[in-house]
Amino acid sequence: MEIEIQLTGAAIAEKISLPPHLGPLGAWLEFRGVVRAAENGAQIAALEYEAYPEMAVREIRRLLETLAARHPCQAARILHRIGVVPVGEAAIYVGVAAKHRAEAIALLGEFMDRLKQDVPIWKRRAWPSLEPERGAVTRGTLEVQKSAAKTGDRSWPTAAGSGPALRSLDEAIAEIQSRCQPLPAVPAPLAEAFERVLREAVSAPEDLPPFDCSSRDGFAVLADDASEYFHVVDTIHAAGWQPRQLRAGEAVRVATGAPLPCGGLRVVMQEHVEREGDRINIVRNELVPNVRRRGEDVKAGQLLVPAGARLDAGKLALLATAGCAQPLVSPRLRVVHLTTGDEIIPPGQTPQPGQIRDSNSILIRSLLQPWPGEIVQRHLPEDFELARAAISNLQSPISNADVVLISGGASVGDKDFTRPLLEHLGFEIVFSHVNLRPGKPLIFGVQGACVAFGLPGNPLSHFVCFHFAVATALARLVGEAAPRFLRGTLAAKLDDKPNPRETLWPARLEFSGGEIRLQPLAWASSGDVTCFAAANALLRVPVNQGSLAAGAEVDFLPTTAMLGA
Ligand code: AMP
Ligand code: MG
């Protein structure tokens, strides 16, 4: 089949000619997909299309060839318009020539059905009706984009996939929080519940301690018994309780934790008595009763651990005490982490010119440690097709994952295929850029309960994007509070030029004189790695701020658990 494919920024002509030199024709079927005035229920002026041109052309060709094997046709001509396409104008033209109309109709129908899912061309945003001062859409893509940048993206609709391409840091965090939902809770034995999030509050089923008991090894006597000598009438070990009413002059030998045989007793420490056979003599009288009263720690029904709490050692011990042996907790997270980049080699190898050792794999693996689960890590070939094949061969399929992370290839370079790959995998792209330094080309996608991030490959961008974006998503998925910015004081001047992007600046957090003090760390590029060894916080530097003086109050995000506890 003769195939001609063109992606174009210009309007598609009213009349498209037939390919020359075709044999006898039965049908020349033409289809034009025209932009409608309503998108997702809202009135719009235009739709903006974006594509990975090289990949899109290759995928369209592949699709047509596959379809032609089943529906033999003579020629196909595809024109797809990219950029802003005003309402009423064609976004796509498909012309199919065949000997019989049925084959042309079948090929065209299937092609249009599969175009959306197989080809990296997508609706980047819907343009609402434009006021005149913003410039008419017909003035062309470039001018409209410029005017949108001037007036700020905030006025554009924020419905999924059609909102502003460039999110502010706060918008991105809010969107991640609203698009990620807690995964269904599961019961887990205590031994497997460490660091998982409790999803159902646990209250005390009974008083704790459940009975009056001795807090010392010693002798229980009536609290008001002033006798000089006592007759030891019984011995009670921790496990061998027998009720018994004591009389004046009687004592019961008790061990620490042993239940007392009746009410109204005190315990005399064994160090404070002299014993001869079954007679004791108190040599030192203390006023303390040495008794732990029933319910003095917790009363039945009292809240022990709230829902949303992370189960650390202490909380697990509390649950065990309360008999909660199978708490309802967050599931173990299943994470697939895919690295990209043909220049990336394992850390143990010596780089040839142009090669870079992989630091993102261990970075992501380590950063994921606080969230119990399984992580599958693979390196993908830097080719859309091969990467697609590698993913479909994964032992644990992507469809089983809760979180998919792709390192690198998040931008719009020739070889950057993260976005089309995620779309091919069925993810709806919620946003693809954040007005942030470092970490601008950050992709966030969702597919049902599964979330995906395309992280810019530079290690520092990775570090930043993980802490504000991925960690927010993980917190939502497991059902705990998302990481939040805290306030601290700058320990030294932060030297910077005003920047139109908000910045998350690596810093070293220390406690000094009862204050949280933040030392800004030196970094020149998002490729810098030296600050990793010292960074345990990210300072928030507002848009166009420039330098900040020592002593200034700043917002920061801790990157270790030291403050979160
Ligand atoms: P990319 O986002 O693919 O354009 O990559 C941006 C930069 O990050 C490039 O210099 C890459 O070499 C580097 N990079 C990508 N992946 C890794 C990795 N796994 N470890 C270290 N550097 C990486
Ligand atoms: Mg790359």
Side-chain angles (χ1 to χ4, degrees):
M1 182 167 72
E2 194 177 312
I3 295 175
E4 195 188 315
I5 304 160
Q6 216 182 327
L7 299 191
T8 169
I12 294 175
E14 284 300 308
K15 195 163 169 30
I16 310 278
S17 55
L18 282 175
H21 321 302
L22 288 180
L25 272 182
W28 173 239
L29 192 69
E30 288 190 306
F31 168 83
R32 281 165 198 269
V34 174
V35 173
R36 276 186 296 239
E39 175 81 357
N40 296 332
Q43 286 296 308
I44 62 162
L47 269 183
E48 186 178 346
Y49 287 85
E50 202 175 28
Y52 287 88
E54 241 179 70
M55 244 185 277
V57 169
R58 204 170 57 210
E59 287 306 303
I60 290 176
R61 180 175 298 277
R62 227 175 55 91
L63 181 53
L64 287 170
E65 283 167 356
T66 316
L67 296 177
R70 269 184 286 130
H71 312 294
C73 293
Q74 288 159 296
R77 183 152 190 204
I78 315 291
L79 300 176
H80 202 305
R81 192 163 163 191
I82 303 301
V84 177
V85 184
V87 164
E89 294 188 20
I92 184 165
Y93 166 90
V94 184
V96 183
K99 284 203 177 114
H100 309 285
R101 70 166 191 271
E103 283 147 357
I105 292 171
L107 186 130
L108 173 70
E110 272 197 52
F111 175 77
M112 286 311 297
D113 284 346
R114 287 182 52 183
L115 181 71
K116 241 199 212 161
Q117 83 189 56
D118 286 15
V119 177
I121 299 178
W122 58 91
K123 292 176 192 171
R124 182 172 171 189
R125 70 173 103 169
W127 293 80
S129 301
L130 300 171
E131 287 113 50
E133 69 269 22
R134 289 211 184 120
V137 192
T138 43
R139 274 166 45 197
T141 310
L142 198 66
E143 283 179 58
V144 174
Q145 277 178 343
K146 266 196 215 149
S147 98
K150 251 192 282 163
T151 52
D153 264 330
R154 283 165 194 277
S155 54
W156 306 117
T158 51
S162 61
L166 192 63
R167 301 294 206 263
S168 71
L169 180 58
D170 283 332
E171 283 168 345
I173 292 172
E175 217 151 9
I176 294 168
Q177 283 187 332
S178 78
R179 300 300 296 259
C180 298
Q181 298 305 322
L183 295 168
V186 293
L190 291 175
E192 290 168 26
F194 183 62
E195 286 288 89
R196 287 161 79 173
V197 173
L198 187 66
R199 296 286 287 275
E200 190 178 68
V202 174
S203 301
E206 67 240 342
D207 291 342
L208 291 176
F211 39 77
D212 289 355
C213 60
S214 172
S215 64
R216 302 284 183 188
D217 290 317
F219 297 87
V221 298
L222 289 176
D224 54 0
D225 191 347
S227 310
E228 203 175 325
Y229 292 96
F230 291 83
H231 183 216
V232 180
V233 294
D234 205 351
T235 296
I236 301 180
H237 297 293
W241 184 71
Q242 280 294 325
R244 178 183 184 126
Q245 190 56 55
L246 290 195
R247 289 191 293 247
E250 287 184 343
V252 169
R253 173 93 175 104
V254 288
T256 301
L260 296 175
C262 61
L265 302 184
R266 69 185 167 113
V267 174
V268 184
M269 288 168 65
Q270 70 182 36
E271 293 87 337
H272 296 170
V273 304
E274 281 173 0
R275 182 171 188 173
E276 255 187 67
D278 59 2
R279 258 168 70 95
I280 58 167
N281 171 23
I282 299 178
V283 293
R284 191 172 147 196
N285 241 323
E286 268 191 331
L287 292 176
V288 284
N290 295 321
V291 173
R292 292 183 67 223
R293 299 279 170 214
R294 170 179 177 163
E296 77 172 26
D297 189 4
V298 176
K299 292 268 183 290
Q302 202 175 314
L303 176 69
L304 293 179
V305 187
R310 233 173 217 256
L311 294 176
D312 56 12
K315 292 187 185 68
L316 285 170
L318 184 52
L319 295 189
T321 308
C324 179
Q326 294 264 348
L328 209 55
V329 296
S330 53
R332 286 171 64 78
L333 286 181
R334 296 163 301 179
V335 182
V336 173
H337 175 219
L338 305 167
T339 51
T340 66
D342 283 350
E343 77 281 21
I344 303 302
I345 56 164
Q349 286 182 14
T350 305
Q352 301 299 309
Q355 293 185 322
I356 301 279
R357 290 197 186 94
D358 174 15
S359 58
N360 288 339
S361 293
I362 189 62
L363 183 68
I364 292 293
R365 181 175 280 277
S366 311
L367 290 172
L368 284 170
Q369 279 304 308
W371 287 272
E374 290 80 39
I375 171 169
V376 173
Q377 292 187 298
R378 290 282 179 283
H379 188 70
L380 293 181
E382 196 145 32
D383 173 278
F384 184 74
E385 275 317 311
L386 296 177
R388 204 154 81 157
I391 286 177
S392 57
N393 285 335
L394 279 180
Q395 253 179 358
S396 131
I398 292 267
S399 53
N400 283 348
D402 302 310
V403 180
V404 176
L405 303 176
I406 303 185
S407 288
S411 203
V412 287
D414 289 347
K415 293 203 161 185
D416 291 339
F417 58 67
T418 297
R419 181 176 179 150
L421 196 58
L422 286 174
E423 284 176 322
H424 164 75
L425 292 169
F427 284 91
E428 173 202 341
I429 304 302
V430 180
F431 61 76
S432 57
H433 293 89
V434 182
N435 192 29
L436 180 66
R437 176 180 63 140
K440 185 179 172 192
L442 170 69
I443 301 171
F444 171 52
V446 292
Q447 185 187 24
C450 181
V451 303
F453 288 96
L455 303 164
N458 270 319
L460 196 53
S461 308
H462 247 65
F463 189 72
V464 165
C465 289
F466 186 94
H467 285 293
F468 90 85
V470 182
T472 298
L474 297 177
R476 284 288 292 156
L477 293 181
V478 298
E480 70 182 340
R484 61 193 177 92
F485 285 89
L486 305 173
R487 293 288 278 174
T489 309
L490 267 190
K493 182 184 176 194
L494 184 151
D495 226 343
D496 194 19
K497 290 199 181 67
N499 194 292
R501 284 194 262 159
E502 201 165 347
T503 307
L504 286 178
W505 190 291
R508 175 86 200 155
L509 173 159
E510 267 146 23
F511 291 99
S512 158
E515 247 193 0
I516 297 172
R517 296 182 68 81
L518 296 137
Q519 183 76 40
L521 299 170
W523 67 287
S525 143
S526 55
D528 286 5
V529 288
T530 48
C531 57
F532 279 151
N536 59 5
L538 293 166
L539 304 180
R540 189 169 186 172
V541 183
V543 167
N544 290 329
Q545 166 67 50
S547 296
L548 281 160
E553 284 269 294
V554 284
D555 286 341
F556 72 95
L557 194 61
T559 62
T560 60
M562 60 189 288
L563 290 174

